[in-house]
Amino acid sequence: MKRLLKGGRVVDPANGIDGVHDVLIEDGRIARVGRDLPVDDATVLEIPSGLVVCPGLIDMHVHLREPGQEHKETVASGVASAVAGGFTAVACMPNTTPVNDNANVTLLILAKAAEAKLAHVYPIGAVSKGSKGELLADIAELKQAGCVAITDDGHPVATALLMRRALEYAGMFGMPVIEHCEDPSLKGDGVAHEGFHAASLGLRGIPGAAEALGVERGVLLSELTGSAFHVAHMSARASMRAVRNGKDVGVRVTCEVAPHHFTLTDEALGSPIPYDTNTKMNPPLREAADRDAMLAGIVDGTVDVIATDHAPHHYDEKKVEFDRAPFGIVGLETAVPLSLDRLVHSGLIRLPRLVELLSTAPARILRVPGGSLSPGSPADITILAPDLKVRIRASQLRSRSKNTPFDGWELRGGVAATIIHGRTVYVNPEMGSGVI
Amino acid sequence: MSTTSQELDQKQAVTALRRKDLLGIAELSPGEIELILDTAEAMKEVGTRPIKKVPALRGKTVVNLFFEPSTRTRTSFEIAEKRLSADTLSIAIGTSSVVKGETLADTALNLEAMSPDMIVLRHASSGACHFLSRVCRSAIINAGDGMHEHPTQALLDAFTIRERKKQLAGLKVAIVGDLLHSRVLRSNIHLLTKLGADVWVCGPPTLIPTDIRRFGVTPTSVVEEAVRDADVIMLLRIQLERMEGAYFPSLREYFRVFGMTEERLLLAKSDVMIMHPGPMNRGVEIASEVADGPYSVILDQVANGVAVRMAVLYLLAGGVEHEEAA
């Protein structure tokens, strides 16, 4: 079976392509990319001008909550949310109940993903058994079952020694260690960024230095071991400095930034809704200088990846006093509009760089298929509508949870359609019928 | 935060609190603050009568919902409510459903189903009153939320200062103690700066909130600088458990560096007022000689608390029967 995507602007930074091309799909794989390809016996999909065809987006940091927290999200609802957000693949964090520290949990997640037949799911295993920070998890078993990286996300790896061992051991399998960077003693019982706004609202603070200490530790240990170290959800300017310095001297460090950290600041804690628990995440929304450092890192290349840290929570859990609410917001369905609006339309970066951040780089870091439209690759394709006017509506999200601070936001840029293995799995209803 | 001329004009016009709740001083205009203080003067007179009761809140139901232990504030609110003839009931944690795992929202909605007019809330979480005001139709009065605000304390402090000094503008007020964890501090710096006082705050650097200068106050860790030529010195409670957080080494050392002694008092103006929101730790933030001395207005603060809370309750309830009350 052949499909021909005809006439869109194709952006594929891995192959240096940015221009009007056709994409031929054969048996779920990319067959050719080129100008005016012959139709032959292919089904033609005309791509309206103004739309962008790019390799499928990959979110390397999501919480799918299954097994154990299905009231927040399931693998099925999570991948439905993913494809609606333009993601053809997600990597899911191991802090489920039980923790994904063995093949049984990994295989369960993969079975649920196969059943859902939407976005690809790449499980990430735990660094330590139960993510308790004591004994290493069976990392070879996790790898064999399908895990693509390891992390104790939600918490930092307990000690420098364990982190060293994890880097050395996982390095044997070419798996990166992904770290939730944080010094627990400096974080204390903090619930918001330590700054003027937390001081004013009487919220206990978490200084940026708590994160940067964890980043510095990881960079040093990556240098010591020669293994790949990836900083999750980076938020503080001192962390950016540490990654930049590490890269300058050749350390194998990479990092990701979440859309909320390049969009919002701690001012959101008090306004427009004071103490809105949807402004509570870890790491916290930081001050303007930190937000600007995230933008600068995206522009200068220090930041490798945009990842959402999609963290669904049930409304009961968020409808409490600020300091009792869990950390985190959903992100899969708001990432593309925020990225296009805040990064591309603001003039900071161009589309090929955005595709690199959302597709090419995560595929490279996790060593998973996709990230390019090279012939032979799976036909995982996202079609972007960079000029679509998008209004975020929390109630309309496909995710089982609606915890977003962006409800009601109007943004420029969205997803037109999502194609996985050549099959269209999502069409944005806002595009009007028959357009895609 | 300086008072603009527009705000001063507004002050003439303000005759009612056109708001559902009293969540904090941060939201109040200088005119609204003056209105509460003026109304409290009339309320104070009620307390001097042989029959200390007016019918202003007759038929209104006020629930005092206290999730933290409190003697002074709760008693003060209860007396204020009774003097205004409100029907009142007080719920303290331990006797409520909270121990059974009920959420704050559910507790409040269940109370609200019985149609109270006002809920006076004391809670350990900052923002609990904002949260409740979004959930409930009843008026919410903040009786202290976490480290955020304690607006009626700041109002009674201002009332007490105004009684002695006539006005707050131009006064040097030094606030000394645990600034970081204090809701009294936050309400007071909003109120005092809005009314034009020169506010100095003092404590060890470990107990000074981030970016405190942005509140329009002068921070220092040299207590002598803070109290020099001060018109008012407010001391904040030092909690024992702060030693465990390594904020300072010992109570003895705290007293040595920051304790308000008669000697340090000599640096202040000769008519200085010594204030403390209570409960006091004698020999920690304040020497007994100072607490019991001639400059102390600590018990006046407590007495004025009733009048100020009557004013707040009355104005939030509508303030329409003003003549009747006064």
Side-chain angles (χ1 to χ4, degrees), chain A residues 56-271:
Chain A
L57 309 184
I58 300 169
D59 188 346
M60 65 179 289
H61 194 138
V62 305
H63 297 267
L64 294 181
R65 305 301 191 201
E66 192 173 1
Q69 300 148 27
E70 290 84 355
H71 62 295
K72 298 173 193 259
E73 194 82 285
T74 61
V75 172
S77 66
V79 292
S81 178
V83 297
F87 291 98
T88 56
V90 296
C92 61
M93 290 293 156
N95 61 339
T96 45
T97 317
V99 168
N100 184 9
D101 62 358
N102 65 79
N104 290 329
V105 179
T106 308
L107 293 173
L108 174 96
I109 294 166
L110 288 172
K112 296 277 179 182
E115 213 171 282
K117 289 194 187 67
L118 291 171
H120 305 290
V121 173
Y122 300 115
I124 295 171
V127 165
S128 60
K129 287 198 171 70
S131 281
K132 288 189 188 335
E134 291 156 7
L135 305 169
L136 284 180
D138 288 350
I139 293 168
E141 174 185 310
L142 289 166
K143 164 81 178 174
Q144 198 177 11
C147 286
V148 295
I150 53 169
T151 185
D152 275 349
D153 186 55
H155 301 282
V157 170
T159 65
L161 179 65
L162 188 66
M163 176 55 95
R164 174 192 180 166
R165 299 288 188 241
L167 282 162
E168 287 171 333
Y169 194 83
M172 162 167 74
F173 309 110
M175 292 167 99
V177 178
I178 300 173
E179 173 74 330
H180 170 120
C181 294
E182 182 179 272
D183 180 278
S185 70
L186 269 188
K187 184 208 170 218
D189 51 5
V191 296
H193 172 64
E194 184 177 295
F196 172 74
H197 294 284
S200 175
L201 294 165
L203 298 172
R204 288 170 201 274
I206 307 170
E211 177 185 285
L213 265 178
V215 176
E216 297 275 14
R217 182 182 86 168
V219 169
L220 287 169
L221 294 174
S222 174
E223 185 179 26
L224 177 68
T225 60
S227 296
F229 174 72
H230 180 81
V231 182
H233 48 49
M234 206 161 75
S235 67
R237 55 192 193 269
S239 305
M240 190 66 72
R241 208 160 57 219
V243 169
R244 194 174 286 130
N245 292 343
K247 287 186 168 192
D248 281 350
V249 296
V251 177
R252 293 179 64 196
V253 56
T254 52
C255 69
E256 72 193 29
V257 171
H260 49 272
H261 285 129
F262 67 65
T263 303
L264 295 171
T265 66
D266 57 351
E267 208 177 335
L269 295 166
S271 146

Side-chain angles (χ1 to χ4, degrees), chain A residues 194-204 273-277 287 316 318-324, chain B residues 103-105 123-128 130-131 134-135 145 147-148 181 186 190 209-211 214-215 242:
Chain A
E194 184 177 295
F196 172 74
H197 294 284
S200 175
L201 294 165
L203 298 172
R204 288 170 201 274
I273 305 169
Y275 301 98
D276 181 359
T277 54
E287 57 200 56
D316 274 348
K318 280 288 199 180
K319 199 181 170 187
V320 293
E321 303 87 310
F322 192 90
D323 51 8
R324 297 185 59 172
Chain B
T103 66
L104 174 59
H123 199 285
S125 293
S126 299
H130 281 83
F131 172 68
R134 289 198 286 273
V135 177
D145 65 324
M147 314 189 308
H148 175 232
H181 301 94
R186 285 168 179 79
H190 286 306
T210 321
D211 273 352
R214 278 178 68 182
F215 289 95
R242 300 295 170 225

Side-chain angles (χ1 to χ4, degrees), chain B:
Chain B
M1 238 170 285
S2 66
T3 309
T4 65
S5 60
Q6 205 181 357
E7 281 172 321
L8 285 170
D9 288 341
Q10 228 178 357
K11 189 162 28 178
Q12 309 300 322
V14 175
T15 54
L17 280 182
R18 292 184 212 287
R19 52 178 71 244
K20 172 177 161 281
D21 312 299
L22 177 66
L23 302 178
I25 302 293
E27 295 89 354
L28 296 182
S29 69
E32 287 175 304
I33 294 167
E34 302 267 18
L35 173 70
I36 296 169
L37 300 180
D38 292 346
T39 309
E41 277 177 30
M43 295 300 175
K44 189 166 184 181
E45 189 272 331
V46 173
T48 63
R49 297 178 190 174
I51 295 170
K52 302 177 179 57
K53 207 171 182 80
V54 291
L57 259 59
R58 196 166 51 197
K60 302 273 187 195
T61 307
V62 184
V63 176
N64 300 306
L65 189 54
F66 276 64
F67 289 87
E68 271 189 339
S70 157
T71 318
R72 199 179 331 262
T73 305
R74 204 180 84 193
T75 313
S76 180
F77 267 108
E78 283 180 20
I79 292 175
E81 290 150 10
K82 288 180 198 313
R83 286 192 181 164
L84 292 169
S85 307
D87 297 316
T88 72
L89 105 124
S90 294
I91 302 167
I93 190 167
T95 61
S96 77
S97 306
V98 175
V99 288
K100 298 175 197 160
E102 192 173 60
T103 66
L104 174 59
D106 282 338
T107 303
L109 287 173
N110 277 281
L111 286 171
E112 184 152 273
M114 297 177 250
S115 305
D117 297 283
M118 298 185 181
I119 296 173
V120 177
L121 179 67
R122 156 72 59 99
H123 199 285
S125 293
S126 299
C129 298
H130 281 83
F131 172 68
L132 218 60
S133 81
R134 289 198 286 273
V135 177
C136 293
R137 288 185 316 275
S138 313
I140 307 295
I141 298 176
N142 185 351
D145 65 324
M147 314 189 308
H148 175 232
E149 282 226 39
H150 191 354
T152 57
Q153 178 69 43
L155 287 163
L156 74 88
D157 290 341
F159 184 86
T160 307
I161 297 171
R162 216 176 69 155
E163 264 190 337
R164 302 262 173 144
K165 309 278 187 190
K166 304 302 171 218
Q167 61 167 19
L168 280 81
L171 297 182
K172 177 175 178 182
V173 181
I175 308 177
V176 186
D178 179 354
L179 311 171
L180 183 64
H181 301 94
S182 176
R183 53 192 172 214
V184 174
L185 172 87
R186 285 168 179 79
S187 284
N188 259 307
I189 58 184
H190 286 306
L191 193 154
L192 294 166
T193 54
K194 277 173 199 247
L195 295 192
D198 174 25
V199 183
W200 290 59
V201 295
C202 176
T206 49
L207 290 172
I208 299 181
T210 321
D211 273 352
I212 191 138
R213 278 178 201 278
R214 278 178 68 182
F215 289 95
V217 303
T218 310
T220 175
S221 290
V222 182
V223 70
E224 288 78 12
E225 263 181 38
V227 303
R228 180 166 292 118
D229 298 323
D231 297 283
V232 178
I233 298 171
M234 280 185 195
L235 302 160
L236 299 175
R237 178 177 167 76
I238 292 293
Q239 286 175 335
L240 253 127
E241 55 266 32
R242 300 295 170 225
M243 281 188 298
E244 288 153 28
Y247 290 99
F248 54 87
S250 67
L251 296 178
R252 186 165 160 272
E253 177 148 321
Y254 180 88
F255 183 71
R256 180 199 299 273
V257 184
F258 296 99
M260 197 48 55
T261 57
E262 287 183 299
E263 197 179 21
R264 287 185 172 133
L265 211 55
L266 293 173
L267 296 168
K269 289 220 176 108
S270 57
D271 60 347
V272 67
M273 298 168 67
I274 299 292
M275 307 178 78
H276 195 302
M280 262 190 294
N281 286 315
R282 291 167 179 268
V284 181
E285 66 267 9
I286 187 166
S288 282
E289 294 75 19
V290 175
D292 303 328
Y295 305 104
S296 170
V297 295
I298 294 168
L299 293 176
D300 297 358
Q301 289 173 270
V302 178
N304 289 335
V306 175
V308 163
R309 289 178 176 117
M310 286 171 77
V312 166
L313 289 158
Y314 168 73
L315 289 168
L316 280 181
V320 282
E321 295 154 315
H322 191 261
E323 284 71 29
E324 206 179 333

